[in-house]
Amino acid sequence: MIPRYSRPEMAAIWELENKFEIWKEIEVLACEAQAELGVIPREDAVAIRERAAFEVERIDEIERTTNHDVIAFLTNMAEHIGEPSKWVHYGMTSSDLGDTALCYQMTQAIDILIADVRRIGAICKRRAFETREMLCVGRTHGIHAEPMTMGMKFGRWTWSMKRAEQRLVRTREMMAVGAISGAVGSYSNIDPFVEQYVCEKLGLTPDPLSTQVIARDRHAQFLAVLATVAASAEEIATEVRALQKSDTLEAEEPFAKGQKGSSAMPHKRNPITAERVCGLARVIKANAQVGFDNVALWHERDISHSSAERVVLADSTIGLDYLLGKLEWILDGMVLYPERMKANLEATRGLIYSSRVLLALVDGGMLREDAYVVVQRNAMKVWDDVQNARAGTSYRENLEADAECPLTAAQLDEIFDPWAFLARVGTVFDRLETCDF
């Protein structure tokens, strides 16, 4: 049987050695199924199992003449098997072999990716609870909004990885199919039992109706899901990059001992790994378009999809595995600066409490429109001072001096408490407890 690894290197899945190993196993299993049916002698099936072998170099040599990779492979196999090789590929067509093997390779690849996102999800969940009470400012449109905690960011990323895992698991089920049904999928020269037998041994399910090829909408979904996972990783990496800006500096990716940030500016500590994640995500997202273009084939099949798949399937899975590994490293070792978070929280001199001021005025009987005028009028004075780096009063001081603001000192104490925003935040962490990473 094909060797199974707990976590094989992603690149090895797409090496010719692995592909031909799967091809060999499919052909041997098909012969064993034919022997079960009595189509070929059982002793020949045993001999085929014992003698089946190949050499990548020899296949390449033969293909230079045949210009057909499957025929080159079968010719090389026959050199090892001898006379019983006449039964190899009996009643089959090239796509029976190639498409079934490709789907198997894709399940091998997706198993690695599932493990990747599970590790990242576990890291995010752990760090979410570690930073559950680490206050920071939330930003909408890039502008300070209301207080939150760093744990909420990690928690959001945890759920992102849970959805990634779920998408990959569903996609694995959709991709775990095989087809050994002959030239146009009518089983004209092969019993459907052979397909059932081979697929069962490989952990696949027979495609219900292939017209020689397994329909490429499956492969398009595979690439689309990889692109979605890459986009989620890019979203996380983009936030890390934004938090590492000198003007923000609430967090940064690890900076290893001996690492250099810039050839010209020795002080630099750049988020280069997060940027690498974002760059590779663009490649994987772009490759999804090739999958969509490969769906429409002429009549029962053509091979316009084949050459493109040999590039994008390997590149997307290898690229995604790589960038997820980098993201894992970033998140596990990400350095946090809670004092800088506190300073940033207070940088706008209390403007982030405006929503609670508004609600307090409404609760006191003021019309919302009138309350909004009071809240915004005092806020804009502070905003102008902050934006121009001028000394000035705080938002609370402005409100206290405003005759139209009836709020007492005790009310303002309650309003200007950052934890007042987070009285119910336990709900999201209770939910996070249920996330099974």
Side-chain angles (χ1 to χ4, degrees):
M1 295 295 291
I2 301 165
R4 299 297 296 245
Y5 304 92
S6 59
R7 193 183 186 279
E9 291 297 323
M10 182 67 82
I13 290 172
W14 304 105
E15 294 288 347
L16 291 174
E17 188 74 31
N18 186 56
K19 182 177 80 168
F20 292 144
E21 184 66 33
I22 301 169
W23 283 15
K24 182 186 79 172
E25 185 64 20
I26 290 170
E27 293 289 358
V28 171
L29 288 172
C31 290
E32 291 174 346
Q34 297 282 25
E36 290 283 332
L37 291 169
V39 174
I40 72 174
R42 192 171 294 274
E43 58 270 23
D44 283 359
V46 171
I48 291 168
R49 165 66 71 183
E50 292 174 347
R51 301 174 191 172
F54 64 86
E55 295 84 30
V56 174
E57 297 79 8
R58 177 61 177 148
I59 294 170
D60 288 343
E61 180 186 355
I62 298 169
E63 188 178 356
R64 283 194 287 271
T65 299
T66 63
N67 200 26
H68 196 293
D69 56 352
V70 173
I71 292 175
F73 170 79
L74 295 172
T75 301
N76 182 216
M77 283 264 287
E79 292 172 342
H80 290 276
I81 295 169
E83 196 274 338
S85 67
K86 64 186 179 183
W87 303 116
V88 175
H89 209 67
Y90 185 86
M92 293 170 59
T93 190
S94 297
S95 291
D96 290 338
L97 180 61
D99 273 14
T100 302
L102 183 58
C103 285
Y104 187 87
Q105 287 174 283
M106 292 165 76
T107 64
Q108 287 182 314
I110 212 165
D111 284 342
I112 295 176
L113 299 174
I114 290 170
D116 288 343
V117 299
R118 284 174 176 165
R119 285 195 306 278
I120 295 172
I123 290 168
C124 288
K125 183 176 180 179
R126 169 175 58 78
R127 300 214 67 179
F129 284 99
E130 290 172 354
T131 58
R132 175 175 179 162
E133 297 187 0
M134 188 179 289
L135 277 173
C136 65
V137 67
R139 299 170 175 88
T140 59
H141 304 276
I143 309 300
H144 287 199
E146 292 184 355
M148 58 179 291
T149 74
M150 191 66 196
M152 294 173 65
K153 291 181 185 286
F154 280 111
R156 178 162 60 100
W157 300 338
T158 305
W159 287 116
S160 178
M161 289 299 103
K162 173 52 65 174
R163 292 189 295 275
E165 176 199 36
Q166 292 167 340
R167 291 186 186 103
L168 289 166
V169 168
R170 288 194 297 267
T171 301
R172 189 197 192 285
E173 180 180 358
M174 185 270 302
M175 286 310 311
V177 296
I180 300 180
S181 53
V184 292
S186 63
Y187 303 96
S188 56
N189 294 303
I190 196 164
D191 193 297
F193 172 78
V194 177
E195 179 183 69
Q196 182 66 46
Y197 181 93
V198 172
C199 286
E200 183 178 335
K201 295 293 185 181
L202 294 176
L204 307 176
T205 301
D207 187 301
L209 201 165
S210 68
T211 56
Q212 189 175 134
V213 294
I214 292 173
R216 258 46 194 180
D217 61 275
R218 296 179 186 269
H219 304 65
Q221 180 178 331
F222 178 87
L223 287 165
V225 167
L226 265 54
T228 304
V229 176
S232 295
E234 181 184 17
E235 189 264 338
I236 296 171
T238 298
E239 179 68 8
V240 174
R241 292 169 60 195
L243 292 175
Q244 190 166 334
K245 290 187 300 180
S246 299
D247 313 276
T248 306
L249 202 56
E250 295 181 358
E252 65 177 342
E253 68 176 47
F255 193 82
K257 183 178 180 181
Q259 183 176 340
K260 303 294 190 293
S262 167
S263 63
M265 296 168 284
H267 72 279
K268 298 289 291 296
R269 287 161 66 117
N270 301 325
I272 58 169
T273 307
E275 290 170 344
R276 194 180 309 165
V277 169
C278 293
L280 286 172
R282 296 168 189 168
V283 175
I284 295 163
K285 290 185 295 182
N287 284 351
Q289 184 61 51
V290 177
F292 300 139
D293 292 340
N294 279 347
V295 174
L297 303 179
W298 285 13
H299 303 299
E300 281 56 63
R301 63 93 57 133
D302 63 53
I303 60 168
S304 59
H305 60 285
S306 178
S307 55
E309 283 176 353
R310 293 175 194 230
V311 176
V312 297
L313 291 176
D315 282 2
S316 291
T317 52
I318 293 170
L320 184 56
D321 178 47
Y322 176 83
L323 75 82
L324 289 174
K326 292 302 178 184
L327 184 63
E328 177 184 349
W329 177 80
I330 291 169
L331 293 171
D332 195 35
M334 191 162 74
V335 182
L336 304 176
Y337 299 109
E339 290 304 313
R340 183 61 179 262
M341 294 178 196
K342 182 179 178 181
N344 287 340
L345 189 72
E346 298 170 351
T348 57
R349 305 177 191 173
L351 291 183
I352 59 175
Y353 301 98
S354 70
S355 63
R356 286 183 56 79
V357 176
L358 177 65
L359 294 178
L361 291 175
V362 172
D363 288 341
M366 191 178 291
L367 290 175
R368 181 181 177 86
E369 290 75 12
D370 295 337
Y372 201 101
V373 171
V374 172
V375 172
Q376 188 180 46
R377 179 177 66 228
N378 288 284
M380 290 302 102
K381 295 176 184 177
V382 178
W383 180 271
D384 190 52
D385 286 341
V386 169
Q387 294 305 104
N388 289 284
R390 289 195 299 257
T393 54
S394 69
Y395 185 44
R396 175 170 177 163
E397 289 170 334
N398 283 3
L399 291 170
E400 289 172 330
D402 192 324
E404 293 185 38
C405 180
L407 298 173
T408 67
Q411 287 176 305
L412 290 172
D413 285 342
E414 183 178 347
I415 289 169
F416 282 79
D417 175 8
W419 288 106
F421 287 92
L422 301 167
R424 302 185 185 92
V425 77
T427 299
V428 301
F429 289 96
D430 290 343
R431 293 171 182 163
L432 190 60
E433 286 276 15
T434 69
C435 186
D436 58 341
F437 279 134

